């Protein structure tokens, strides 16, 4: 009898209206259905059925208590996905969104949608591996809660907005693999905290690296494969905690001899520049150096003995003016 009662209770519960009550906020659901419509109902969003709870839809995450949509994560591992066209304006009408991602969507085109600047709770914005184009909007500086901004592997062009330095909580800025031009903004030296990791490689950036970057201490710097000129020594310093620096394949020209490197360095790549001077003895104190390359420069003198500098092969040193000593041939 008890077993029958339990079965009946479970049956009633299963078929009760409470079991089918929708958690998703109706306004959020309306916005999502508009996004789907604007994208011309792609197969990728097939689970977005108006008769079901949108908190259960693919690419969507809701807050466990408020049930407002906090994440919209639209990505595809299929190269020929049929999601195409520009980012819809309706994306900017999800007021509780904390994470927005458009990733590996080669048919996503047009500019970065201006209404994204309305998402004031946004902490993470990823628009990567798409075909969006146009400038990086100045209005992104309005997203003061943003911690991660990734606009890599797109067709963005024009200058980097100096206003991005106004983002007080930014931990990582990725603008690599685009068609950006002009200088690195001098304002980037005024980032709060230690400054975000700066990944700006594979663009067409030019001019000098701002001296103001001496005031920040990013975990990672990648300015490689641009047209940057002059000094890069401000990126280093004995008191910094930077772990990775790559400024390879630029037009940099400065004396390496007097540069003081942080002992926190794990990877240093200076290859294919016009750097002169000697390799500083201080680099032998960098005990965790795993990657190192100073090839294709104009360095001279004996490679300092000690530390990890002899752990790297000839390729890390060759094509310099008169560099010598292990692992290169002995100095005369």
């Amino acid at each position: 009898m008890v077993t029958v009662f339990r079965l009946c209770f479970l049956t009633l519960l299963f078929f009760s209206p409470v079991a089918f009550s929708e958690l998703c906020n109706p306004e959020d659901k309306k916005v999502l259905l508009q996004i789907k419509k604007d994208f011309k109902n792609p197969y990728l969003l097939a689970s977005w059925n108006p008769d079901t709870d949108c908190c259960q839809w693919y690419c969507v995450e809701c807050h466990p208590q408020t049930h407002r949509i906090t994440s919209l994560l639209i990505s595809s591992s299929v190269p020929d996905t049929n999601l195409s066209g520009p980012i819809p304006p309706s994306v900017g009408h999800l007021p509780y969104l904390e994470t927005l991602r458009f990733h590996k969507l080669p048919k996503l085109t047009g500019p970065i949608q201006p209404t994204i600047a309305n998402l004031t709770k946004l902490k993470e914005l990823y628009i990567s591996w798409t075909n969006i184009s146009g400038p990086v909007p100045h209005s992104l500086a309005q997203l003061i809660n943003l911690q991660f901004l990734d606009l890599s592997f797109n067709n963005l062009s024009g200058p980097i907005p100096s206003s991005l330095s106004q983002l007080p909580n930014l931990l990582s800025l990725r603008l690599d693999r685009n068609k950006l031009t002009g200088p690195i903004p001098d304002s980037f030296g005024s980032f709060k905290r230690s400054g975000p990791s700066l990944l700006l490689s594979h663009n067409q950036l030019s001019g000098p690296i701002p001296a103001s970057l001496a005031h920040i201490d990013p975990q990672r710097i990648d300015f490689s494969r641009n047209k940057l000129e002059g000094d890069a020594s401000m990126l280093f310093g004995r008191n910094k905690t930077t772990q990775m620096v790559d400024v390879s394949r630029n037009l940099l020209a400065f004396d390496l001899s007097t540069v003081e490197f942080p002992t926190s360095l794990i990877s240093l790549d200076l290859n294919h520049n016009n750097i002169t001077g000697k390799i500083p003895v201080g680099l032998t104190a960098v005990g965790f150096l795993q990657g190192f390359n100073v090839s294709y420069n104009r360095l001279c003198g004996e490679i300092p003995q000690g530390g990890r500098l002899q752990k790297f092969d000839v390729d890390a040193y060759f094509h310099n003016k008169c560099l010598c000593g292990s692992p290169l041939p002995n100095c005369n």
Side-chain angles (χ1 to χ4, degrees):
M1 184 69 179
V2 174
T3 303
V4 172
F5 174 78
R6 287 178 176 172
L7 286 173
C8 291
F9 177 77
L10 290 172
T11 302
L12 287 170
L13 181 63
F14 183 78
F15 286 103
S16 69
V18 175
F20 290 100
S21 64
E22 184 161 355
L23 298 176
C24 178
N25 180 275
E27 290 301 314
D28 289 351
K29 185 174 186 177
K30 181 179 178 181
V31 171
L32 288 180
L33 291 173
Q34 183 62 49
I35 292 171
K36 180 181 179 181
K37 181 180 178 181
D38 291 341
F39 276 134
K40 299 182 176 61
N41 303 311
Y43 178 75
L44 187 62
L45 306 180
S47 69
W48 293 18
N49 185 332
D51 296 326
T52 60
D53 184 357
C54 69
C55 287
Q56 305 299 320
W57 291 356
Y58 181 66
C59 306
V60 175
E61 293 180 6
C62 292
H63 190 278
Q65 278 81 45
T66 66
H67 310 298
R68 299 303 299 257
I69 294 172
T70 56
S71 295
L72 183 60
L73 313 169
I74 301 178
S75 62
S76 177
S77 58
V78 182
D80 59 347
T81 177
N82 66 337
L83 190 148
S84 61
I87 299 172
S90 45
V91 165
H93 301 150
L94 295 169
Y96 290 86
L97 208 62
E98 296 182 3
T99 303
L100 176 61
R101 176 181 295 150
F102 293 101
H103 179 61
K104 287 193 174 180
L105 300 168
K107 297 179 183 178
L108 192 68
T109 57
I112 294 176
Q113 177 53 239
T115 61
I116 289 175
N118 298 331
L119 303 174
T120 56
K121 294 186 183 296
L122 207 63
K123 295 179 180 178
E124 302 179 30
L125 175 59
Y126 307 96
I127 306 176
S128 55
W129 294 83
T130 77
N131 270 304
I132 63 164
S133 56
V136 178
H138 289 268
S139 58
L140 294 181
Q142 299 173 30
L143 302 175
I144 59 172
N145 290 302
L146 207 61
Q147 297 177 6
F148 298 93
L149 176 57
D150 183 350
L151 304 178
S152 61
F153 290 85
N154 294 301
N155 286 311
L156 298 170
S157 58
I160 299 174
S162 61
S163 58
L164 295 181
S165 64
Q166 299 170 20
L167 295 170
N169 298 297
L170 199 63
L171 300 175
S172 177
L173 174 63
R174 290 199 61 173
L175 301 175
D176 49 304
R177 306 270 181 168
N178 280 288
K179 299 175 182 177
L180 300 174
T181 55
I184 298 171
D186 183 69
S187 65
F188 276 20
S190 61
F191 272 111
K192 293 187 177 180
R193 299 184 178 183
S194 59
S197 291
L198 297 172
L199 282 70
L200 311 178
S201 70
H202 293 79
N203 280 290
Q204 299 167 31
L205 302 175
S206 58
I209 297 173
S212 63
L213 295 194
H215 303 306
I216 61 173
D217 185 17
Q219 184 182 62
R220 183 179 177 189
I221 296 172
D222 189 350
F223 296 164
S224 63
R225 293 180 182 267
N226 281 290
K227 300 175 183 178
L228 300 171
E229 303 171 0
D231 195 4
S233 60
M234 80 293 292
L235 301 178
F236 308 101
R238 184 183 301 174
N239 296 322
K240 290 196 176 188
T241 59
T242 303
Q243 296 181 359
M244 303 177 70
V245 177
D246 187 348
V247 292
S248 62
R249 295 181 181 270
N250 278 287
L251 304 170
L252 300 170
F254 61 99
D255 186 350
L256 193 65
S257 305
T258 58
V259 177
E260 294 185 336
F261 291 93
T263 57
S264 56
L265 269 181
I266 296 173
S267 179
L268 175 64
D269 196 342
L270 306 176
N271 81 80
H272 283 83
N273 282 290
N274 295 307
I275 300 170
T276 59
K278 298 180 179 182
I279 296 177
V281 175
L283 270 172
T284 61
V286 181
F288 296 99
L289 200 60
Q290 302 296 319
F292 183 74
N293 193 337
V294 293
S295 63
Y296 289 92
N297 279 290
R298 299 171 59 197
L299 298 172
C300 206
E302 185 174 6
I303 298 170
Q305 298 291 310
R308 297 190 56 82
L309 294 183
Q310 277 68 50
K311 302 290 184 181
F312 303 101
D313 59 25
V314 171
D315 292 352
Y317 297 99
F318 67 2
H319 284 276
N320 274 285
K321 185 178 179 181
C322 50
L323 203 60
C324 57
S326 178
L328 295 177
N330 292 334
C331 302
N332 294 329

